[in-house]
Amino acid sequence: MFYHAYEHYLESAFPYDELRPLTCDGQDTWVVNVLQEGVDFDIDVNASVFETNIRVVGGLLSAHLLSKKAGVEVEVGWPCSGPLLRMAEEAARKLLPAFQTPTGMPYGTVNLLHGVNPGETPVTCTAGIGTFIVEFATLSHLTGDPVFEDVARKALKALWKNRSDIGLVGNHIDVITAKWVAQDAGIGAGVDSYFEYLVKGAILLQDKELMSMFLEYNKAIKNYTKFDDWYLWVQMYKGTVSMPVFQSLEAYWPGLQSLIGDVQNAMRTFLNYYTVWKQFGGLPEFYNIPQGYTVDKREGYPLRPELIESAMYLYRATRDPTLLELGRDAVESIEKISKVDCGFATIKDLRDHRLDNRMESFFLAETVKYLYLLFDPDNFIHNDGSVFDVVITPYGECVLNAGGYVFNTEAHPIDPAALHCCRKQKEEQWEVEDLMREFYSLKKNKKFTLKRASDHGEGEGAKDPEDASLEKGGEKRSYKKNSHSLLSCPSQSFNSKLAVLGQVFLDNT
């Protein structure tokens, strides 16, 4: 059913005659033309910095990294070059003027042609400041330009620096003065993806600092906002309850908890949210926890993905059939309540299931995708590292498609291995080659060779992977034999560890 909805959506959004060029010779070449000619971002348009990043930059990066797997003929040097990567970089550069503030925290809106408008408000939501590290770090690693990761990190650290004495952050802040304008603290709207990107950034980059920041926030969140496995809104300086409500956007939290290994707490919170779903056939935007009912003027359900997203993550971690039941209920509810001739409509009011004349883009980008992945255990996204591809880049060989994909907050998957394909730094090259040696050791019936890339990206002589040392520029580096396979989740010195299914397990042994 969702496939046909997607077909209808494309046909209504892009009439077929507009997609087919006049000189197509019987083939649809619209996508090819876009890849060849690119997209013009030099337009006089005010754009959301947050939305442009997660949708445009994130979508282009994900499509770039998945293009070869999708059968697209990639150019020489991929994944370190390519038309989609160049488009992502161009779009991201249009966002950089927003970060030119005294605090490093970005404005919420930027004009793609002129930069930040002189009268632009300096007040931005927390999520709009802290939701860049996944896309921008990926872009820096693929292009070699550190400016993107640098501005994303500076913004994250600025929020961290301005947390309250009890360890909480508010909802909106002035990016010029760093004064909190909205002081409600919680895990939902306006804050949510900031916490999400601390965890996912830590996983993607194996960054101990980002993970430690989240774990400190997590302690404060548990201390001040958690009540009976629900999470309320509190005053960020005092910890007093300001709104005893559950927002549907908060339903991502159990999935995030599963990524740090806190599966038991995640399941308890998830079951709370699932009871709300069963009560209404969807999640209302706001749910009054003490009253057990919707909040006035917040009774709608625009087919958001967050609860299904959490179900997908938790099912990968637990295989609990309750999570499949939620998936079944979601499919049946959406099919029964929301299906219309041209797609799937937003539910305007869950109390009587009245519909609105709109379908949100995240329904296709996220909700349907997470539902599909929940019921497709053999999907390549769930790869446990047992299969992978080896590609040749200007900097040597690298492993791709081995699993552990990190989803950005718009559900665009990023292959973390790709971040190690395009770097010239010697130390990182050594780390990648160590990883490759471990993979190759699993293939005892074949012999692989590794090429050391020079400082200028040109490979030197091939080395035997069983050799115990490598030489480069007069230097000699010894390799220690590992007594374990990388796929067995060995103990690591890093106190937050990434497992093959994308989970981070805390070192509490």
Side-chain angles (χ1 to χ4, degrees):
M1 72 173 187
F2 295 123
Y3 172 77
H4 294 300
Y6 191 63
E7 268 190 333
H8 286 307
Y9 167 73
L10 288 178
E11 290 172 2
S12 61
F14 304 102
Y16 189 68
D17 289 340
E18 295 181 14
L19 289 176
R20 183 184 292 276
L22 294 175
T23 58
C24 65
D25 295 328
Q27 296 183 1
D28 296 310
T29 57
W30 179 72
V31 173
V32 176
N33 288 344
V34 170
L35 292 178
Q36 291 176 344
E37 300 172 10
V39 175
D40 183 12
F41 292 106
D42 288 322
I43 51 178
D44 188 6
V45 169
N46 295 325
S48 165
V49 180
F50 169 82
E51 296 288 355
T52 303
N53 176 57
I54 66 172
R55 295 169 184 256
V56 179
V57 178
L60 287 169
L61 286 173
S62 182
H64 166 71
L65 293 175
L66 292 174
S67 56
K68 187 172 184 179
K69 192 172 189 65
V72 175
E73 184 176 350
V74 297
E75 67 182 42
V76 176
W78 180 91
C80 308
S81 64
L84 294 175
L85 178 60
R86 288 188 287 273
M87 278 188 269
E89 182 179 4
E90 184 182 356
R93 288 198 185 281
K94 292 293 184 180
L95 305 181
L96 290 180
F99 290 84
Q100 296 174 5
T101 65
T103 62
M105 294 185 284
Y107 285 95
T109 304
V110 67
N111 185 282
L112 297 184
L113 189 61
H114 303 296
V116 178
N117 291 322
E120 179 62 34
T121 175
V123 177
T124 307
C125 71
T126 304
I129 294 167
T131 309
F132 294 91
I133 191 66
V134 170
E135 297 85 0
F136 275 29
T138 299
L139 196 54
S140 283
H141 282 249
L142 293 179
T143 65
D145 190 340
V147 64
F148 303 105
E149 183 174 350
D150 288 347
V151 298
R153 285 186 179 275
K154 187 175 181 180
L156 286 175
K157 291 179 180 180
L159 287 172
W160 172 252
K161 178 182 177 181
N162 287 286
R163 69 196 187 279
S164 70
D165 290 340
I166 61 174
L168 297 173
V169 290
N171 199 269
H172 284 73
I173 193 171
D174 188 311
V175 301
I176 303 299
T177 64
K179 300 297 183 183
W180 289 101
V181 177
Q183 298 181 2
D184 291 310
I187 61 172
V191 185
D192 46 7
S193 52
Y194 170 46
F195 296 137
E196 177 187 357
Y197 270 42
L198 286 175
V199 173
K200 291 182 176 180
I203 294 173
L204 184 70
L205 303 170
Q206 289 293 280
D207 191 298
K208 182 177 180 179
E209 182 183 21
L210 295 182
M211 183 58 73
S212 65
M213 289 163 64
F214 175 78
L215 294 177
E216 285 300 312
Y217 279 131
N218 196 35
K219 291 178 184 177
I221 289 167
K222 287 182 177 179
N223 286 339
Y224 295 101
T225 76
K226 185 178 181 182
F227 295 87
D228 294 330
D229 298 310
W230 294 94
Y231 292 85
L232 312 182
W233 288 83
V234 302
Q235 210 281 339
M236 65 175 290
Y237 292 105
K238 302 176 182 178
T240 53
V241 175
S242 58
M243 290 191 297
V245 300
F246 157 60
Q247 299 178 352
S248 61
L249 285 170
E250 297 171 11
Y252 79 98
W253 189 255
L256 197 65
Q257 287 178 299
S258 77
L259 290 179
I260 64 168
D262 193 5
V263 176
Q264 290 185 345
N265 282 319
M267 280 299 297
R268 288 196 293 267
T269 297
F270 178 88
L271 292 174
N272 278 348
Y273 299 166
Y274 187 20
T275 61
V276 179
W277 180 287
K278 289 190 288 188
Q279 183 179 353
F280 296 101
L283 290 185
E285 294 286 68
F286 281 29
Y287 178 82
N288 188 301
I289 298 170
Q291 295 179 2
Y293 206 64
T294 60
V295 174
D296 187 42
K297 298 182 180 180
R298 293 291 188 272
E299 305 93 347
Y301 172 53
L303 309 183
R304 291 195 185 278
E306 283 76 17
L307 189 63
I308 299 163
E309 173 187 2
S310 286
M312 189 273 288
Y313 280 118
L314 282 168
Y315 186 69
R316 299 300 303 170
T318 67
R319 304 293 178 173
D320 189 326
T322 303
L323 300 156
L324 296 180
E325 293 174 9
L326 176 277
R328 177 203 62 201
D329 290 347
V331 171
E332 291 177 351
S333 293
I334 294 170
E335 174 82 3
K336 180 178 179 181
I337 302 170
S338 296
K339 186 176 181 180
V340 293
D341 290 341
C342 298
F344 292 84
T346 288
I347 303 174
K348 189 173 184 178
D349 192 328
L350 278 169
R351 296 172 299 178
D352 56 16
H353 294 168
R354 284 184 291 125
L355 301 180
D356 201 354
N357 188 22
R358 61 184 291 126
M359 182 174 75
E360 301 289 347
S361 63
F362 53 69
F363 172 69
L364 295 174
E366 302 181 71
T367 308
V368 175
K369 186 182 298 179
Y370 286 129
L371 269 174
Y372 189 94
L373 291 173
L374 174 62
F375 290 110
D376 185 13
D378 299 322
N379 193 279
F380 76 92
I381 289 290
H382 300 316
N383 183 11
D384 62 0
S386 57
V387 295
F388 54 89
D389 299 323
V390 178
V391 300
I392 306 299
T393 78
Y395 311 107
E397 294 177 316
C398 72
V399 173
L400 289 175
N401 303 321
Y405 291 89
V406 175
F407 286 94
N408 86 335
T409 197
E410 193 71 7
H412 299 304
I414 301 295
D415 185 348
L419 275 65
H420 302 279
C421 289
C422 310
R423 299 297 294 271
K424 298 179 183 179
Q425 285 86 344
K426 289 182 289 187
E427 288 300 323
E428 181 159 345
Q429 285 175 273
W430 285 334
E431 292 175 7
V432 172
E433 289 182 0
D434 281 339
L435 178 64
M436 292 171 66
R437 287 174 183 275
E438 288 294 331
F439 276 117
Y440 293 152
S441 69
L442 301 176
K443 304 286 186 178
K444 295 182 179 180
N445 59 331
K446 295 182 180 180
K447 186 174 182 179
F448 293 85
T449 59
L450 290 175
K451 296 179 181 179
R452 166 70 69 189
S454 72
D455 289 336
H456 302 288
E458 296 176 1
E460 295 184 3
K463 301 288 183 179
D464 190 324
E466 296 302 321
D467 197 340
S469 66
L470 285 175
E471 298 180 4
K472 176 168 171 43
E475 301 175 11
K476 188 172 182 179
R477 179 170 178 265
S478 297
Y479 286 86
K480 294 182 179 181
K481 291 285 185 179
N482 292 321
S483 60
H484 53 72
S485 164
L486 286 184
L487 300 182
S488 64
C489 302
S491 178
Q492 303 172 16
S493 57
F494 178 26
N495 68 356
S496 298
K497 297 170 277 190
L498 176 62
V500 293
L501 293 181
Q503 292 176 270
V504 171
F505 293 90
L506 306 183
D507 191 3
N508 53 13
T509 57

